[in-house]
Amino acid sequence: MRALITDGANVFAGTDGGVYRSTNNGTTWTAVNSGLSSTIVNAFTVGGSNLFVGTDGGIFLSTNSGTTWAGVNSGLTSPTVYALAISGTNIFAGTLNGGVFRSTNNGANWTATNTGLTETYIRALAISGTNLFTGTYAGGAFISTNNGGNWAQSNNGLTNVIVHGFAVTSGTNLFAGTETRGVFLSTNSGTSWSAASTGLTQSNVRAFAVLGTRLFAWTFGGGVFLSNNNGTSWSPVNSGLTNLFVQAFAVSGTNLFAGTYGGGIFRSTNNGASWTAVRSGLPNFHVLSLVVSGTNLFAGFWGSGVFLSTDNGTNWTAANSGLPGQPVYVTALAVSGTNLLAGADSGHGVFRSTNNGTNWVAINSGLTNLSVHALTVSGTGIFAGTDGGGVCLSTNNGTSWTAVNSGLTSGRVASFAVSGTSLFAGTRGGGVWRRPLSEMITSVQLLPGELPAAFRLERNYPNPFNPTTTISFSLPSQSLVSLKVFDALGREVSILLSEDLSAGTYSQQWRPEGLASGVYFYRLQAGSFIETKKLVLLK
């Protein structure tokens, strides 16, 4: 079912098989398709005794509760209609790649009303008072205050809300790569954005790489583009690149690597001026992710896990021990110190290798969603972007994860960037989000003073607290320390520490997210020493 509407005592359902009507609140249904030339029904609207339906074959009108239909498409240049709305004597239709059309005479004639509308794939229409809103496939929301005469963006300059990648240059320049609108630039930490796509012939931008003063953008369908002037203009650098659907990019010294969907991996040793295929040993030619760790290059594949090259891509070998059985789709790769991290789709989560991919171990404790599409590292923090569960953070090399989604209304995270003191998250359908790193990463701090004589766990301060509290403890000798928080039922809700610490006095901050007010308990375990204390969260 694609659409529903009520009209008096009638209920109408739009399906892939046409229109169905129920006169008894859905107990029984009857097909009412007489006169419809297209039975793929996407939208309804009703005005007085007129019932309109939008289909893959245009707009149809019924004046007798759906018993018969007549096409009303004069002037409608795009036949696929996804949305309909009525405001007074105006009827609006949202179409596939034709924008918005308006009729002032019950559909007898239609006129395009797209001035200011930069995205013409319309998925939704809504009326609020005298304002008309349209939701686009990938351009966000637009508003018209004059019945569609003019449109203005409602995205603060970002006209595409599917964001695949970021880059940071010159300290203050933040670039966002979008799915259908190319590149956008912000010089004020994401407060506002402006288009920066001059010269791009492909607007589906998947990611960036920075090499000195050179900014590279790789696109899905247009190959690789280079800007030497901070995104003011772009030029293609695709000589030798026989597949232009670039999904992943990596830089290793003077080598550039492009991972393509369908063409394998290509290498450039001259800043993209020319490319050479490096495919020996590849399991398939569908590359989803690339990362460099020292002299090793790792690639994540569609259905085939992770492969490793130790000779700049010339030869590849499987590095899948410990990963789930095939198929496994490795959509993200990252390096954290001596640890290699792999994020996988289709419910597999995150895996960690401590020996350059020789073996992998699943590290999913606390992850809110096991389809991971993005990974990034900042200091002691590892961030995982999930497809439905938002952002999760680990401060103990993936041993445990905590959701850090306060304020984030879009849970489908596709990309990350760390710029200055903030983490930026690019989402699928929700635009760009920013949050200070200091709100999320609170590493343990060694306090000055004499070495303590005994193990000790202090009272947290403040207590009660909101939003953060600090827990202090003392170690007279080097110890493997575990600091955990439990709810009143004894269920573990957070792992604050799980690492080896030298003797001294430490403090650890806790900022709970997604937890209700109430009594909680924190427990310190250091060797054979165990102590538990109570804290109170008030919201």
Side-chain angles (χ1 to χ4, degrees):
M1 187 181 300
R2 292 170 175 258
L4 274 173
I5 198 170
T6 60
D7 183 16
N10 298 313
V11 182
F12 294 91
T15 73
D16 285 351
V19 178
Y20 288 78
R21 180 180 63 200
S22 174
T23 59
N24 53 11
N25 290 314
T27 303
T28 58
W29 295 87
T30 303
V32 285
N33 294 321
S34 178
L36 285 183
S37 60
S38 172
T39 57
I40 299 179
V41 177
N42 302 312
F44 290 112
T45 194
V46 63
S49 60
N50 296 320
L51 176 64
F52 294 89
V53 62
T55 74
D56 276 10
I59 300 173
F60 295 82
L61 166 65
S62 175
T63 58
N64 53 12
S65 296
T67 302
T68 58
W69 299 89
V72 285
N73 295 310
S74 178
L76 195 70
T77 58
S78 179
T80 303
V81 179
Y82 283 132
L84 290 168
I86 290 181
S87 176
T89 59
N90 295 303
I91 307 170
F92 298 93
T95 68
L96 172 65
N97 297 328
V100 178
F101 289 78
R102 180 180 63 203
S103 174
T104 59
N105 53 10
N106 283 319
N109 300 98
W110 297 88
T111 304
T113 55
N114 292 326
T115 300
L117 200 63
T118 58
E119 168 63 73
T120 57
Y121 186 167
I122 309 299
R123 297 294 301 186
L125 288 167
I127 306 292
S128 177
T130 59
N131 296 322
L132 173 65
F133 293 89
T134 181
T136 67
Y137 170 70
F142 291 78
I143 182 173
S144 175
T145 58
N146 57 2
N147 285 313
N150 297 93
W151 296 90
Q153 296 164 7
S154 297
N155 296 316
N156 201 24
L158 193 65
T159 61
N160 183 299
V161 291
I162 300 179
V163 180
H164 285 293
F166 293 103
V168 179
T169 67
S170 303
T172 58
N173 293 322
L174 177 64
F175 293 88
T178 69
E179 185 161 303
T180 62
R181 291 295 171 188
V183 177
F184 287 80
L185 166 65
S186 175
T187 58
N188 52 12
S189 295
T191 301
S192 61
W193 299 84
S194 59
S197 297
T198 300
L200 282 181
T201 57
Q202 170 56 251
S203 57
N204 190 340
V205 179
R206 293 304 175 102
F208 300 95
V210 179
L211 189 60
T213 60
R214 301 177 179 89
L215 175 63
F216 293 88
W218 60 96
T219 70
F220 198 70
V224 182
F225 289 80
L226 167 66
S227 176
N228 289 307
N229 51 17
N230 267 318
T232 301
S233 61
W234 298 87
S235 57
V237 283
N238 292 324
S239 178
L241 198 65
T242 57
N243 183 294
L244 300 183
F245 292 87
V246 183
Q247 285 271 85
F249 207 92
V251 179
S252 177
T254 58
N255 295 308
L256 301 178
F257 295 92
T260 68
Y261 192 79
I265 299 173
F266 294 80
R267 180 180 63 206
S268 175
T269 59
N270 53 10
N271 293 313
S274 60
W275 297 87
T276 303
V278 283
R279 301 168 176 167
S280 179
L282 292 186
N284 61 59
F285 287 171
H286 300 317
V287 183
L288 301 179
S289 52
L290 288 168
V291 76
V292 174
S293 177
T295 58
N296 296 318
L297 177 64
F298 294 89
F301 286 87
W302 176 272
S304 299
V306 178
F307 276 65
L308 162 67
S309 175
T310 59
D311 54 8
N312 282 316
T314 302
N315 297 286
W316 295 88
T317 56
N320 287 324
S321 179
L323 290 179
Q326 305 300 326
V328 59
Y329 307 92
V330 178
T331 51
L333 290 166
V335 175
S336 176
T338 58
N339 296 312
L340 179 65
L341 305 167
D345 201 354
S346 302
H348 289 129
V350 180
F351 295 81
R352 179 181 63 206
S353 175
T354 59
N355 51 13
N356 283 315
T358 301
N359 298 98
W360 297 89
V361 175
I363 48 171
N364 293 325
S365 177
L367 272 183
T368 56
N369 183 287
L370 296 182
S371 289
V372 176
H373 287 180
L375 291 168
T376 196
V377 177
S378 178
T380 59
I382 303 169
F383 294 92
T386 71
D387 190 30
V391 179
C392 291
L393 165 67
S394 176
T395 57
N396 53 15
N397 286 316
T399 301
S400 62
W401 299 86
T402 302
V404 284
N405 290 323
S406 180
L408 186 67
T409 61
S410 177
R412 303 189 66 194
V413 178
S415 56
F416 285 125
V418 175
S419 179
T421 59
S422 296
L423 174 70
F424 292 84
T427 67
R428 298 180 188 276
V432 178
W433 296 77
R434 178 184 64 202
R435 189 171 182 186
L437 289 163
S438 60
E439 287 187 4
M440 299 176 285
I441 301 176
T442 54
S443 58
V444 64
Q445 293 185 359
L446 176 62
L447 303 178
E450 296 181 358
L451 291 179
F455 290 101
R456 184 176 176 84
L457 178 62
E458 305 292 344
R459 295 285 182 186
N460 65 297
Y461 180 83
N463 192 31
F465 74 97
N466 181 33
T468 62
T469 190
T470 299
I471 300 170
S472 298
F473 58 91
S474 299
L475 307 174
S477 59
Q478 181 174 334
S479 306
L480 179 61
V481 176
S482 169
L483 182 60
K484 298 181 178 181
V485 182
F486 301 85
D487 65 13
L489 298 177
R491 296 173 298 194
E492 181 183 295
V493 296
S494 184
I495 300 176
L496 303 183
L497 275 174
S498 180
E499 60 183 277
D500 194 63
L501 297 176
S502 58
T505 298
Y506 293 85
S507 69
Q508 172 71 45
Q509 190 180 81
W510 185 43
R511 179 188 290 269
E513 296 203 23
L515 295 179
S517 298
V519 175
Y520 294 85
F521 297 88
Y522 59 102
R523 185 184 72 189
L524 175 72
Q525 181 171 356
S528 60
F529 173 83
I530 300 177
E531 188 170 355
T532 302
K533 293 187 181 295
K534 181 174 70 175
L535 50 76
V536 179
L537 171 62
L538 292 180
K539 290 189 174 181

